[in-house]
Amino acid sequence: MTSTVPASLFRANGSSALQAVFLDMDGTLVDTEGFWWDAEVEAFADLGHRLDESWRDVVVGGPMTRSAGYLIEATGADITLAELTVLLNQKFEQRIDRGVPLMPGADRLLSELARHDIPTALVSASHRRIIDRVLDSLGADRFALTVAGDEVVRTKPHPEPYLTAARGVGADPVLCAVVEDTATGVAAAEAAGCRVVAVPSVAPIAPSAGRVVVRSLEEVDVPFLRTLIATPRGL
């Protein structure tokens, strides 16, 4: 976990105001969910196995250990989890080195959050080495805090990553908004007590109490997020 601004600066004054915004990375801010699947397909092809397209919905948004473990079990590939993790990270890095496309609305939203001085954290299941490379495209200075999947004991769908982010910026999770693109990430954020904006990238996500579903980050701005926090839960 890395932080660039003292948490004491992030204490909000109001009891019901938006205190912080936490954003997922792959598939939410950067269009890389397909990169991970392509890396997985290539890695298993090298091992003599073909991945079923239906498995993509199973592994999307999950931590590396869960996704890789599932694919090893599903294919019966002769490779350890540790070996596959290294291989997948290498193949993913090869792809992001060619450039990382931002999702529509991502650059505008990050700039708007900065203009409003809203503490913003990047919370990802990806490993630190991956996050740091992607930050070259996103701009590391746009985030008060970044939390990587290999820096927490339990990553998404466990709430620990978002609880860690909330502690890091000195915010109450209940007054934080989270933007996620997968059911795994949504589950983690909701378990932490945050309000969620879901922007599905691969598999659909249904709306529910305390959660709204939008088609694109183009629909998300600061007034929208403040209204989400101000709306009583259950409405």
Side-chain angles (χ1 to χ4, degrees):
M1 179 177 69
T2 62
S3 177
T4 58
V5 183
S8 60
L9 296 180
F10 298 143
R11 302 288 177 180
N13 296 322
S15 60
S16 61
L18 175 68
Q19 291 188 355
V21 174
F22 306 143
L23 302 118
D24 174 55
M25 187 176 76
D26 296 301
T28 300
L29 289 177
V30 290
D31 191 7
T32 51
E33 284 294 4
F35 286 18
W36 279 114
W37 179 247
D38 291 344
E40 289 159 348
V41 168
E42 182 180 333
F44 279 91
D46 292 345
L47 297 168
H49 296 274
R50 181 175 180 179
L51 300 188
D52 191 302
E53 185 69 24
S54 65
W55 297 342
R56 184 173 184 174
D57 289 349
V58 179
V59 301
V60 66
M64 176 75 73
T65 51
R66 191 198 74 183
S67 300
Y70 173 86
L71 293 174
I72 290 173
E73 183 177 352
T75 60
D78 184 19
I79 188 171
T80 68
L81 181 59
E83 291 169 338
L84 181 58
T85 297
V86 171
L87 183 60
L88 290 177
N89 274 321
Q90 289 174 344
K91 290 185 177 297
F92 184 79
E93 287 176 31
Q94 290 170 2
R95 285 164 171 77
I96 62 176
D97 283 346
R98 302 175 197 139
V100 180
L102 271 59
M103 297 296 285
D107 185 68
R108 188 267 315 154
L109 177 59
L110 289 172
S111 295
E112 185 177 351
L113 290 168
R115 286 198 306 273
H116 286 268
D117 294 322
I118 296 174
T120 303
L122 183 69
V123 182
S124 176
S126 290
H127 289 188
R128 168 56 56 189
R129 61 185 290 181
I130 298 295
I131 288 179
D132 286 346
R133 295 176 86 132
V134 174
L135 283 173
D136 289 339
S137 296
L138 284 173
D141 60 330
R142 290 170 138 176
F143 301 97
L145 182 74
T146 61
V147 180
D150 56 342
E151 295 174 337
V152 292
V153 176
R154 295 157 296 189
T155 189
K156 305 173 187 180
H158 195 276
E160 182 179 348
Y162 283 111
L163 293 175
T164 299
R167 285 194 301 270
V169 300
D172 181 347
V174 173
L175 299 178
C176 296
V178 170
V179 185
E180 273 278 2
D181 73 305
T182 67
T184 299
V186 167
E190 291 181 341
C194 305
R195 291 296 184 97
V196 177
V197 179
V199 192
S201 63
V202 176
I205 300 172
S208 70
R211 174 201 313 168
V212 296
V213 180
V214 298
R215 293 171 295 178
S216 164
L217 290 180
E218 297 284 11
E219 301 177 43
V220 182
D221 56 19
V222 168
F224 176 90
L225 295 171
R226 285 176 170 159
T227 298
L228 180 66
I229 296 297
T231 301
R233 289 177 184 264
L235 298 182

